[in-house]
């Protein structure tokens, strides 16, 4: 059991970049997202016996992150803090800056989605989970996941074309 | 021509459709440019959202996130406790009826951190103590070496590297004893199946002052005292009952 534990910890360590990425789809600020990951890793260590070997470790960790987010981190993050400061439009025309701006625009649009929608977007579009896996992480039927994902995409599309129209 | 819902087109773009439906969508896309555009839009959205967050996974992971996975030490147990206590206070202020029971969490945290420490330090060794104290046997934490000897033989209140706090009979009819090691790790062990199973262990903050006699029970962290309260049947054993239990090797 002890050897399994340290092997599991190693595996969790290799997933940290993805855990941070997923957390960023929920909490806008880097610090908040990393707090969320830290708390989740602590929980994962403490509850490591509830992980079933042979199942997807990433899904198990995403579920812990989701629960940690819903249980506590969310309540400590004021709504106004969820949003990014406005990006300044310097260096327009620079390819790199343009790609950066595009990414920021999408990140911002995601941050403006409802929580349900951010969760499905984070799991499926960012982390690439199959619908079935994502539905299991969220404890919802696949049909519900599919319709949420479709609505989230529509909302993103609208926000992004709105932004494009303004700028 | 068959029409497809937006959800089907999205699922196609996400590679989620079964063979038959996938082919049907592809066939329709050849004939219907508008439909093909909608599929392309879904794919582009997927790519854009992925690209927006992709750099996060390239960033260096802050050490504080990896640290608990590599170094599960007594120190991190304290930090977990400190954090829990802070959050407990905040929670008390904020609301009742949370989904989580903090005392249970704390007990579990302490218990499992010992498991983590034991794992980290290899063959059942805990850091700090010179002799081995706790080992994992078939997934159960069991007292060993000096700690096991003290639990077997030592009377409550007597001195030594390990001090015994309270001895009592638990509701499940096993004998349990609280203890503090020389390294200020306190806990509760119960004699079950011929071994002292460690129910809970907590690293105390202060170092004990060498040579100074203290009433062990008074130093017990509240987690240990709570664990005693939850298990005890009747009163703690007095000196005479303890002696008898020692002679019976703590078997009922």
């Amino acid at each position: 059991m002890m050897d399994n534990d340290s092997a599991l910890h190693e595996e969790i360590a290799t997933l940290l970049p993805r855990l941070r990425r997923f957390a960023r789809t929920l909490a806008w600020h880097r610090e908040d997202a990393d707090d969320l990951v830290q708390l989740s890793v602590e929980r994962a260590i403490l509850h490591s016996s509830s992980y079933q070997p042979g199942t997807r470790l990433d899904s198990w960790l995403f579920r812990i992150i989701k629960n940690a987010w819903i249980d506590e981190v969310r309540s400590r993050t004021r709504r106004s803090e969820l949003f990014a400061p406005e990006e300044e439009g310097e260096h327009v025309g620079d390819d790199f800056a343009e790609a950066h701006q595009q990414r920021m625009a999408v990140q911002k649009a995601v941050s403006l989605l409802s929580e349900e929608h951010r969760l499905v977007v984070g799991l499926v579009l960012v982390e690439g989970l199959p619908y079935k896996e994502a539905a299991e992480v969220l404890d919802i039927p696949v049909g519900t996941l599919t319709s949420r994902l479709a609505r989230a995409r529509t909302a993103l599309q609208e926000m992004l074309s709105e932004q494009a129209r303004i700028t | 021509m068959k029409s497809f819902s937006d959800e089907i087109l999205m699922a196609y773009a996400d590679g989620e459709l079964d063979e038959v439906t996938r082919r049907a969508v592809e066939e329709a896309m050849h004939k219907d440019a508008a439909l093909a555009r909608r599929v392309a839009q879904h794919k582009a959205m997927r790519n854009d959202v992925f690209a927006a967050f992709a750099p996060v996974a390239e960033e260096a992971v802050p050490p504080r996130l990896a640290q608990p996975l590599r170094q599960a030490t007594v120190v991190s147990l304290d930090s977990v406790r400190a954090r829990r206590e802070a959050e407990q206070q905040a929670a008390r202020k904020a609301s009742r009826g949370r989904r989580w029971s903090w005392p249970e969490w704390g007990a579990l945290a302490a218990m499992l951190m010992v498991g983590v420490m034991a794992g980290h330090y290899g063959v059942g060794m805990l850091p700090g103590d010179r002799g081995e104290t706790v080992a994992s046997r078939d997934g159960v934490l069991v007292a060993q070496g000096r700690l096991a000897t003290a639990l077997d033989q030592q009377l409550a209140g007597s001195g030594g590297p390990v001090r015994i706090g309270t001895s009592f009979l638990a509701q499940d009819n096993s004998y349990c004893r609280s203890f503090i090691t020389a390294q200020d790790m306190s806990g509760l062990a119960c004699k079950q199946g011929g071994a002292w199973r460690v129910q809970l262990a907590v690293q105390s903050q202060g170092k004990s002052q060498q040579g100074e006699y203290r009433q062990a029970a008074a130093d017990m962290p509240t987690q240990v005292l709570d664990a005693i309260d939850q298990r005890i049947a009747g009163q703690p054993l007095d000196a005479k009952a303890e002696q008898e239990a020692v002679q019976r090797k703590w078997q009922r």
Side-chain angles (χ1 to χ4, degrees):
Chain A
M1 168 198 152
M2 294 185 309
D3 288 345
N4 290 346
D5 261 3
S6 42
L8 184 66
H9 292 175
E10 274 308 307
E11 273 186 74
I12 295 174
T14 62
L15 288 173
L16 281 173
R18 289 185 60 206
L19 303 184
R20 293 184 71 233
R21 184 172 63 186
F22 176 58
R24 282 279 271 283
T25 64
L26 295 177
W28 173 268
H29 285 289
R30 181 178 313 215
E31 293 276 296
D32 289 339
D34 282 344
D35 283 354
L36 177 59
V37 174
Q38 187 173 359
L39 177 64
S40 304
V41 166
E42 283 169 12
R43 285 192 180 185
I45 292 172
L46 296 168
H47 296 288
S48 60
S49 58
S50 75
Y51 169 68
Q52 292 178 348
T55 62
R56 286 181 67 141
L57 183 60
D58 58 353
S59 293
W60 183 70
L61 292 164
F62 291 145
R63 177 194 286 265
I64 292 174
I65 291 178
K66 176 206 70 169
N67 289 338
W69 169 252
I70 290 168
D71 284 356
E72 21 201 313
V73 180
R74 176 179 62 181
S75 59
R76 289 192 227 145
T77 315
R78 270 179 293 138
R79 186 81 184 131
S80 61
E81 290 172 351
L82 289 174
F83 307 130
E86 289 299 323
E87 284 289 301
E88 307 240 342
E90 306 163 346
H91 313 303
V92 176
D94 186 323
D95 278 354
F96 179 80
E98 241 172 65
H100 176 73
Q101 279 197 329
Q102 163 71 7
R103 286 200 299 268
M104 292 304 288
V106 174
Q107 283 192 19
K108 179 171 180 174
V110 169
S111 80
L112 293 168
L113 290 174
S114 72
E115 195 165 272
E116 275 184 355
H117 286 174
R118 288 208 303 284
L119 280 164
V120 294
V121 164
L123 290 173
V124 177
L125 301 187
V126 177
E127 292 308 326
L129 257 57
Y131 290 0
K132 189 169 164 292
E133 284 287 333
E136 278 169 20
V137 169
L138 299 173
D139 287 321
I140 55 176
V142 175
T144 308
L145 177 110
T146 313
S147 55
R148 269 188 206 171
L149 186 59
R151 284 200 304 273
R153 272 167 140 136
T154 305
L156 280 176
Q157 194 72 59
E158 279 167 10
M159 275 190 271
L160 290 169
S161 45
E162 181 77 359
Q163 279 178 18
R165 200 179 54 75
I166 293 167
T167 44
Chain B
M1 191 178 64
K2 202 182 163 195
S3 78
F4 292 100
S5 71
D6 194 48
E7 284 180 21
I8 295 275
L9 298 180
M10 175 188 82
Y12 173 79
D14 288 344
E16 290 276 348
L17 291 182
D18 61 81
E19 177 88 22
V20 176
T21 322
R22 190 162 56 87
R23 282 181 188 224
V25 171
E26 275 163 5
E27 215 168 290
M29 277 164 61
H30 281 303
K31 295 175 191 152
D32 186 344
L35 194 134
R37 261 202 310 279
R38 279 163 64 200
V39 169
Q41 232 173 27
H42 279 301
K43 283 189 174 167
M45 175 63 75
R46 186 180 176 110
N47 289 339
D48 285 352
V49 173
F50 177 79
F53 290 93
V56 177
E58 309 296 318
E59 292 169 7
V61 174
R64 67 174 169 124
L65 302 185
Q67 196 263 344
L69 292 163
R70 303 231 151 86
Q71 283 182 301
T73 63
V74 175
V75 177
S76 73
L77 173 56
D78 277 344
S79 70
V80 168
R81 285 180 60 216
R83 179 176 188 148
R84 172 175 57 74
E85 273 155 18
E87 280 170 338
Q88 213 169 349
Q89 270 189 332
R92 246 184 253 123
K93 279 184 198 159
S95 68
R96 287 147 196 269
R98 291 170 61 92
R99 303 155 60 132
W100 242 25
S101 156
W102 281 106
E104 277 173 25
W105 170 246
L108 187 65
M111 175 72 189
L112 289 172
M113 283 311 289
V114 171
V116 169
M117 292 186 298
H120 184 70
Y121 284 87
V123 200
M125 296 284 252
L126 280 173
D129 265 356
R130 275 145 200 77
E132 49 188 336
T133 50
V134 178
S136 173
R137 200 182 292 164
D138 297 328
V140 180
L141 292 175
V142 175
Q144 290 231 310
R146 186 187 279 168
L147 177 59
T149 309
L151 288 166
D152 272 328
Q153 298 169 6
Q154 213 168 295
L155 296 184
S158 63
V162 177
R163 285 169 294 149
I164 303 293
T166 314
S167 310
F168 61 91
L169 198 57
Q171 285 147 16
D172 65 2
N173 215 23
S174 66
Y175 282 111
C176 300
R177 311 190 80 191
S178 61
F179 61 85
I180 299 184
T181 69
Q183 304 302 318
D184 272 341
M185 186 170 76
S186 4
L188 183 68
C190 297
K191 186 89 176 190
Q192 287 157 355
W196 288 102
R197 292 188 177 200
V198 177
Q199 312 288 307
L200 152 116
V202 177
Q203 180 65 31
S204 300
Q205 251 114 19
K207 288 282 293 170
S208 60
Q209 286 157 308
Q210 286 298 320
E212 186 186 324
Y213 174 79
R214 295 179 301 174
Q215 183 69 38
D219 304 327
M220 284 294 170
T222 47
Q223 292 97 317
V224 177
L225 297 177
D226 287 346
I228 295 174
D229 284 343
Q230 281 162 20
R231 289 173 180 77
I232 193 165
Q235 295 296 312
L237 303 187
D238 58 21
K240 184 165 171 285
E242 252 191 336
Q243 298 259 21
E244 288 165 2
V246 168
Q247 276 158 17
R248 283 201 310 274
K249 298 190 189 315
W250 300 93
Q251 308 284 354
R252 289 286 291 164

